[in-house]
Amino acid sequence: MNEVRLHLVPVRSREAKEFVRTWHRHHAPPAGQIFAVGAADETGTLRAVAIVGRPVARHLDDGATLEVTRTATDGARNANSLLYAAAWRAAKALGYRRLITYTQDGESGASLRGAGWRVIASRPPRAGWHTPSRPRTDRGNDRIARLLWEAA
């Protein structure tokens, strides 16, 4: 089997979100972003994207931290590792001191380990985001334990 050779490409917000909408297993595209990066094959076909934005958790939004809020791939081998490593290099180049992301229980984290990331915390399942003061719809990904990762 021939290995697909990937290279990094810039990706506009709209294109990155459309790719996530098409390929991500359990999440819709995030609302905002600071930047996105893609991985394309030799023909220029986009095979994976990573979207980086402000941390979702308010207490982590300190101005020096960014979060990889979404990655998606069409199955291209090593694409996520390539993108996680590139996202950290880009974040550092922009002056950020920390880059984080989460995986859900049942996801191996192999792409993150391959890119040199490390687990820094375990998050228990949450009951959901709905509160009487701010009603929200369950999106099907609540009640799932998560791991918090940090680029090293």
Side-chain angles (χ1 to χ4, degrees):
M1 182 165 125
N2 290 340
E3 183 81 16
V4 175
R5 296 179 59 88
L6 299 175
H7 61 277
L8 297 172
V9 293
V11 181
R12 294 184 182 268
S13 176
R14 182 174 293 157
E15 185 179 14
K17 289 178 180 183
E18 187 56 39
F19 195 93
V20 167
R21 209 176 333 278
T22 301
W23 290 101
H24 201 281
R25 291 187 311 265
H26 50 75
H27 282 304
Q33 71 178 51
I34 302 297
F35 66 89
V37 61
D41 62 20
E42 302 93 349
T43 68
T45 301
L46 187 63
R47 305 292 302 272
V49 299
I51 298 175
V52 179
R54 291 173 50 195
V56 174
R58 287 185 306 226
H59 70 281
L60 295 175
D61 192 7
D62 59 7
T65 302
L66 289 178
E67 178 177 336
V68 176
T69 55
R70 230 44 112 244
T71 64
T73 174
D74 66 1
R77 187 174 164 88
N78 299 324
N80 272 335
S81 292
L82 177 73
L83 293 175
Y84 280 123
W88 178 223
R89 289 191 307 271
K92 285 190 296 188
L94 291 170
Y96 291 93
R97 294 190 302 273
R98 187 174 187 213
L99 185 61
I100 61 169
T101 197
Y102 294 88
T103 55
Q104 291 186 351
D105 189 36
E107 295 176 329
S108 74
S111 296
L112 289 155
R113 283 191 306 280
W117 291 51
R118 64 174 191 240
V119 174
I120 59 169
S122 177
R123 299 289 190 242
R126 60 177 177 253
W129 292 97
H130 175 79
T131 63
S133 63
R134 189 164 179 195
R136 296 188 179 124
T137 304
D138 185 355
R139 296 196 176 148
N141 53 6
D142 295 329
R143 297 172 212 65
I144 298 172
R146 295 161 293 133
L147 293 177
L148 174 59
W149 296 76
E150 181 178 69

